[in-house]
Amino acid sequence: MYDTLLTLLRDACMRYKEKTVYKDSSGQMTFGQLDDLSAAAGDFIASFMEERYGSDSLRHPVVVMTGRNIFTPACYIGAARAGCFYAPCDAKLPRHRLNQILSVIDAPLMIVERASYEKAAALDFSGKIVVYEDILSAYRKDQGRVDKNRLERISGQITETDPLYVIFTSGSTGVPKGVITAHHSLMCYLEDVNEVLSLNESDVLGNQSPLDYIAAIRDMYLPLMSGACTFIIPENEFAMPAVLFETIRRESITTLCWSAAGVEMAARMGGFDLDIRLPLRRVIFSGSVISGKYLSLWQEHLPDTVFINQYGPTEATASCTYYIVREKVTEDTVLPIGRPYRHYRVFLLSIDEKAENAANVCGKRELILTPGQEGEICVAGPALALGYYGNPEKTAQSFVQDPLNKNYRDLIYRTGDIGRWREDGNLEFLGRSDRQIKHLGHRIELDEIEIEAMKVEGIDECCALYNKKKELLYLFYSGEASARDIALHFRAQMPAFMVPRRIKQLDALPKLPNGKKDMASLKAML
């Protein structure tokens, strides 16, 4: 196995030098060009860090806000070649959110694309802002010369436990959390996923995720391990299934690593009403529970395609379990999340309802092996994140000593998700521990409300929420179904205490850039 992204890059660029690695609607990049352009970015960053901190100054953060294009991975890899780690940002985020991220990461350097420079310059950022196109222009003007000796020296100093990137996720306190991932963690994950997918040089991945989102690491780095190519699908096409499916056909895309919401949307908006033959061999989805109603459409129209359900938090380098869907699903099907990838240990610990914080985990939990018994999903192994950047308190709460091991340091990550083992050895996801409510004396999983609602004809998407103060169960949804139809369905199928008392129709559920539901916006409607 490769120890760092840099050794993986070096090998890939030697093996596939003339082959295309990234492509978008504006152009393409070969493995050899990726080597050259990431070296140009790396040389610039290394020079900047040396001037600021001294010779061979390593492990500094670099903010990268260069958009959804083929040059962004070169910037990310360039930060790594300079001995630094990158913090990706999306220029489309609100200014307040970007300022929150910048206040946490406190980086000395930000690399942006020219189109985002004005927005970047207006942010609360005290470091240096550099336009990537200017770095590229200077590199070409200098006829492609870089300080190769410096880059080689830095590469030799990078270890597998050094940080590679910090990806920000939402935080319960309102301040985003920066999850730090090491080189070795990414290598473990990529090797595991490629072992299951068996990608090769003939494969083309169709990128959906924003490149600052955790799911995009598959699209950016799996080509380096397999020789495949990634096509970055234009964002606007996901709202136009005819154009989207034609792009998949035209670009000979064989593999989709999409969010469950993205897979659902393509089917929900009528993609399969079109007579377009898709060359897809694999469709991998993750991020939320997929609707059997829409997955069944994919299976019906792509009978030879392999469908894989993935589960896992950013704190475990994207995904830690997988399930290959071999059964024909129906709209009532709820897929398991499967078995752990090879480099992961995934297990269930009993739930201590008296425990109010993570410090109480030790000595109060038991390993759950009995099928059907619920427990908290926990993850261990070399693919765990290093923690939360600049937040040791939150890190200590979430990455804790395994309560089953009192003999040596053995950290696990508590996901906060509830699951249970099936008789066949696959793990089922039952919902978030913070999605379990107590209503009218009954414990209710809000995810169960949503699963039942999706059985109603005419519901496209939905989200169940609870107003604890008023003791009201809400259901927000989009689609043509009427609130009356939904209420009648619930009254016929569910106990009275599980019938939503407030059913609100929306044109569309608010979404985050990664395609997930914007829970904060929905909660504001309660």
Side-chain angles (χ1 to χ4, degrees), residues 280-299:
L280 294 170
R281 302 172 191 164
R282 317 164 192 84
V283 175
I284 301 93
F285 45 87
S286 58
S288 58
V289 178
I290 195 165
S291 166
K293 177 166 63 176
Y294 297 118
L295 180 57
S296 65
L297 286 174
W298 282 84
Q299 285 187 319

Side-chain angles (χ1 to χ4, degrees), residues 476-507:
F476 296 96
Y477 76 99
S478 64
E480 297 179 355
S482 70
R484 183 177 182 275
D485 290 340
I486 297 168
L488 289 175
H489 173 88
F490 270 89
R491 287 170 188 164
Q493 302 294 330
M494 307 294 282
F497 62 84
M498 294 184 71
V499 178
R501 299 303 175 187
R502 296 289 186 272
I503 301 175
K504 185 170 180 59
Q505 184 180 33
L506 303 175
D507 292 336

Side-chain angles (χ1 to χ4, degrees), residues 208-472:
Q208 174 224 10
S209 300
L211 299 188
D212 64 308
Y213 181 51
I214 185 62
I217 64 171
R218 293 188 286 266
D219 300 327
M220 290 188 294
Y221 300 131
L222 277 174
L224 301 186
M225 189 159 282
S226 62
C229 167
T230 288
F231 180 80
I232 301 173
I233 301 173
E235 185 177 4
N236 66 314
E237 292 189 5
F238 291 95
M240 300 181 291
V243 179
L244 174 63
F245 278 23
E246 175 57 27
T247 295
I248 292 174
R249 185 204 62 78
R250 184 187 67 248
E251 298 297 334
S252 300
I253 293 173
T254 65
T255 307
L256 305 180
C257 298
W258 285 7
S259 68
V263 173
E264 289 179 358
M265 181 182 292
R268 186 173 68 247
M269 297 184 67
F272 292 111
D273 296 340
L274 311 165
D275 186 22
I276 299 177
R277 293 182 178 273
L278 300 180
L280 294 170
R281 302 172 191 164
R282 317 164 192 84
V283 175
I284 301 93
F285 45 87
S286 58
S288 58
V289 178
I290 195 165
S291 166
K293 177 166 63 176
Y294 297 118
L295 180 57
S296 65
L297 286 174
W298 282 84
Q299 285 187 319
E300 178 185 341
H301 290 87
L302 297 169
D304 298 324
T305 300
V306 176
F307 295 90
I308 302 175
N309 186 25
Q310 285 195 135
Y311 160 85
T314 305
E315 289 84 349
T317 314
S319 298
C320 55
T321 69
Y322 69 99
Y323 177 76
I324 300 175
V325 185
R326 293 187 170 89
E327 69 269 37
K328 181 69 176 72
V329 305
T330 68
E331 63 178 47
D332 295 331
T333 301
V334 180
L335 296 176
I337 56 176
R339 303 170 184 269
Y341 281 115
R342 183 161 55 88
H343 282 96
Y344 292 85
R345 181 164 62 94
V346 180
F347 55 100
L348 299 179
L349 289 180
S350 59
I351 301 169
D352 181 5
E353 295 187 1
K354 295 180 181 179
E356 295 182 355
N357 56 57
N360 291 328
V361 68
C362 295
K364 292 183 177 289
R365 301 293 182 102
E366 295 179 353
L367 183 66
I368 292 178
L369 299 174
T370 305
Q373 185 177 348
E374 296 182 8
E376 181 180 13
I377 301 174
C378 298
V379 187
L384 283 191
L386 299 175
Y388 299 114
Y389 191 81
N391 195 338
E393 294 81 10
K394 183 62 179 175
T395 299
Q397 288 178 2
S398 299
F399 297 84
V400 301
Q401 174 68 22
D402 186 345
L404 308 176
N405 182 0
K406 303 187 183 305
N407 298 312
Y408 56 86
R409 187 173 181 267
D410 185 10
L411 293 184
I412 67 173
Y413 173 69
R414 296 180 56 200
T415 66
D417 293 334
I418 306 301
R420 66 185 172 203
W421 293 110
R422 298 199 324 186
E423 291 285 353
D424 62 5
N426 283 301
L427 187 61
E428 287 184 335
F429 170 80
L430 301 178
R432 291 283 305 167
S433 58
D434 54 9
R435 293 274 288 162
Q436 185 184 82
I437 63 170
K438 195 164 186 178
H439 176 54
L440 301 178
H442 300 274
R443 290 199 176 277
I444 299 173
E445 294 286 351
L446 292 175
D447 292 315
E448 186 178 359
I449 303 293
E450 294 175 4
I451 290 170
E452 188 62 35
M454 289 304 297
K455 297 176 183 178
V456 178
E457 186 69 29
I459 287 186
D460 293 334
E461 290 185 286
C462 67
C463 181
L465 290 175
Y466 187 60
N467 187 322
K468 185 176 181 180
K469 184 177 180 180
K470 296 184 178 181
E471 294 188 330
L472 288 175

Side-chain angles (χ1 to χ4, degrees), residues 77-95:
I77 296 171
R81 297 186 74 167
C84 299
F85 55 97
Y86 66 89
C89 285
D90 185 350
K92 295 180 181 177
L93 289 174
R95 177 178 175 179

